[in-house]
Amino acid sequence: MAKRVFFVVFAAIFFSVQFCYSQSQSGKEKMPAYKNANLPVNVRVKDLLSRMTLEEKVRQTWEQHTGGLEIVDGEIAQKDIDKLFEGYSYGTLQARFGGPIKEQAIINRDVQKYALEKTRLGIPVLPMHETLHGILATGATIYPQTIAQGATWNPELIKEMSSAIAVEGAAAGISQSLSPMLTLARDHRWGRVEECFGECPKLVAEMAIAYIKGMQGEDAEKGIEPGKMACMLKVMAGYEIPSGGINIAATSLGEREFRSLYLYPYEQAVKRAYPYSVMPSYNVVDGLPAHANHWLLTKVLRDEWGFEGYTYSDWGGVPFNHSLHKITANAKESAIVCLKAGNDLEAPGPSCYKYLVELVKDGRIDEKYVDQAAGRMLKVKFLCGLFDGVPEPVDVDKLDEKIHTAEHVALARRVAEESIILLKNEGNMLPLKKDKMKSIALIGPNADQVQFGDYSPTKSNHMGVTVLEGVKGFLAGTDVKISYAKGCGITDPDRSGFDEAVETAEQSDVAVVVVGDTSMIIGGGVGGVIGNESEQKYLATAGEGYDRTTLTIPGVQEDLVKAVVATGKPVVVVLVHGRPFAMPWLKDNAQVILDVFYPGEQGGNAVADVLFGKVNPSGKLPVTLPRSVGHLPQTYDYLPCGRGYYGVPGTVEKPGRDYVFSSPEPLWPFGFGLSYTTFAYSDLVIKNAVAGMSDKIRFSFTVKNTGSRAGKEVTQVYYNDVVSSTVTATKRLIRFKKIELGPGESRRLSFEIDPDELAIWNMDMERVVEPGAFDLMAGSSSDDIFLKSSFSLMTPVMIERDKAKFGLAYGKKAWASSELAAYPAVNVTTGSESTRWAAGQGGEQWITVDLEQPQVIDNVKLYWETAYGKEYKIQLSSDNRTWETVSHVKNNDGGLDEISFSPQKARYVRMYGIKLATRWGYSLYGISVN
């Protein structure tokens, strides 16, 4: 009986445990796959899409505004969110641009909580915000504008900056940044030029990649870490060179130029930094608006480059197809063409995509396109960790610990300091010496007015440091008298303040005249902070939609500078602006010019530090500065025909050609910027001057600080494809590095170039690396080149075919008494008859080949071009100092010369030309040594 009772009790316990275990396992099996953080993202996306209704999926292609959400006692009422969101989650959550950062944090916190807890499937929203040079909200740190960031030429510094911006954004619950901007600043009439890193595709790409990695993290492909944000590349593409320089106008571009220049930064960013989103541009290229361009958004962006994120329309970009560009008849047609082209989300709201449910049900568009767009949006939300609690819920009470911290303010100052460009310093007038002056005048409309630039929340002086305040702070505790006179407005034609400005300058030891631009802002209000009532009519001279037909300094500001210069007092001109100016008078007449692109909230302190020498200026121009608007477009990477043909530029006094009354040369070249110290470049060595298509080109050179104070130098390396199947630039930036050197300090810099970086788009629109010669140049700007050498690339087929033909000389170093830039001496050992060495004109010229070690030789072949030597000697040497003549040819007739002699042991072989057969310099395709 006891055994039966025991068995019954045991059986009951056993089956009870089994039932509980079974129920537990069943519960685990019922957990949706999309909620399982251990599963691959693509599996989670597929599972979630399978559970969503058509209506839920369509809303992932919408951005939702937050209008009507009122904050009361630090939170938003649940009923207000219910009324606005109607139980649905959306793709992105629209920001309240320009408002207080704390309000944005509250909205993000409460709406995200609703999306996760009150919607059917708990799908989070993706809160977005502008972050071009800081979160576009009052209370956040305001960093220098993008063009100023480009002027630092310091990717690591910009990476540090974007990481700090991400900390502030993430603290406020922001997951998606609407930055960086990858457009090229190649038409200064365009108002948004200030939002560009510069004119050069390489510079823009490197700065943008640094920005993305700082904001997203180094391993974004695996997901976003806490304290980081997703980046958006904008605005793709060709938007920056509109017809007439006017915003949104059509762009005329061939595919070769489009790919080589304007798509290059986007391609590099997609392949090297894994951005989560891309914004198409407003413009039309070759008759196709970007938002409706399947070739651009699908074939190129996804199929060629491998982009895996989502595309976010520029605001109003989808309806532009029927309202502006007229390629569709109505909103429904615009929705169809854009979604099919590859535009995944419509912003700022669904004026067209609101019809997608109806269009699918009516059979006008396949639901697969909705699934595709919604799936891309969901993937980004998974990668951002929004389903898994990775970004911690917003803690409004602790915002001050993360936003506008002392560390971030100091960083904003460092970025500003490194962005300031010294264009002119006549007589080394700067730095000013406070112990040797009794008075200083601050003059001009931007002397006591902050200018942050486009996509800023405010222009209030309470939010930053003006130049006047910076100088006052620097001179605090001294007896130096500081005077101020505004002189004029930014655009106001009133000159009544000139007399006061002149008098102020005359009564001072030195005058600092601060002139420039003012840009549009978003939110925060302008009222009374930038000038008099008249000037309020002209809110902006730069920024989005503020394009110009001239590049002069706005208003009568240049006349103010002229009046102050006429006093004869020492004058420093400080340009605080966003748009590059054409200012030939200033270059010729001003003693000192500091170029300060919108420097952020610490701009005044940074300018003062440079003026008085606490900081040695190290900024470099990220753009070419033209002489006039008529010189546009003017960039450093012009084609061989780009600066004229006749070479006789004119003046008013003496008209010429290329141009009649001007020079085609710029006022200041791309990459230019002076320092309070000097630098010397030396000893450029290319380790493998002849390389195969898979070999990296390795080279190095030395930079020395030859001055008496520490300084930072931006070393710039350019290349030129000597002969290419399609026309290529005379030079193109390929490497740059900012270094700091103490007085007398030297540093050896080493670089590598992958041959793939030298690719061009050939006649058949194929991207190829072509064999041949390349010039390599190093210097401090695109025009200030101090070192130059050459290397050659060879195809494997050519190596196998010609190695025996050129014998011991194949691939060896060669140098000459002279050489033309396009035809260096090294060409004679490449094993190719498609390249050559050409000497400068003159009777006696020589070329030497180094066999690297002593060799027994008895034969030399010379492959002459039409410009051959009539009389020459073949000479051998073991030390490159003492030469023995083994053959003296006195009556050569060109072509192939084969010279045989008794066997000799030598390391160096030289052709010593005595007499030319033509009026041109010696020219050899190759030298063979056996």
Side-chain angles (χ1 to χ4, degrees), residues 545-564:
Y546 293 87
D547 314 304
R548 292 186 59 193
T549 56
T550 67
L551 298 180
T552 55
I553 303 172
V556 295
Q557 293 182 86
E558 188 167 309
D559 290 339
L560 174 65
V561 176
K562 291 177 180 179
V564 176

Side-chain angles (χ1 to χ4, degrees), residues 631 648-663:
H631 285 73
V648 284
T651 63
V652 174
E653 296 78 13
K654 186 179 179 181
R657 305 172 84 176
D658 301 338
Y659 295 96
V660 175
F661 299 120
S662 184
S663 166

Side-chain angles (χ1 to χ4, degrees), residues 442 444-450 461 466-469 472 484 514 529:
L442 274 294
N446 275 343
D448 194 28
Q449 177 57 54
V450 297
N461 282 354
T466 69
V467 175
L468 177 61
E469 291 172 329
K472 285 181 177 179
Y484 165 69
V514 190
V529 300

Side-chain angles (χ1 to χ4, degrees), residues 239-262:
Y239 176 47
E240 59 267 48
I241 50 166
S243 176
I246 194 166
N247 196 41
I248 311 179
T251 301
S252 297
L253 277 175
E255 184 180 350
R256 182 173 291 103
E257 184 180 10
F258 198 18
R259 285 182 177 273
S260 300
L261 294 176
Y262 301 97

Side-chain angles (χ1 to χ4, degrees), residues 830-848:
T830 61
S832 169
E833 293 184 26
S834 63
T835 59
R836 60 188 173 94
W837 162 67
Q841 293 185 22
E844 295 192 6
Q845 300 277 352
W846 53 261
I847 182 168
T848 299

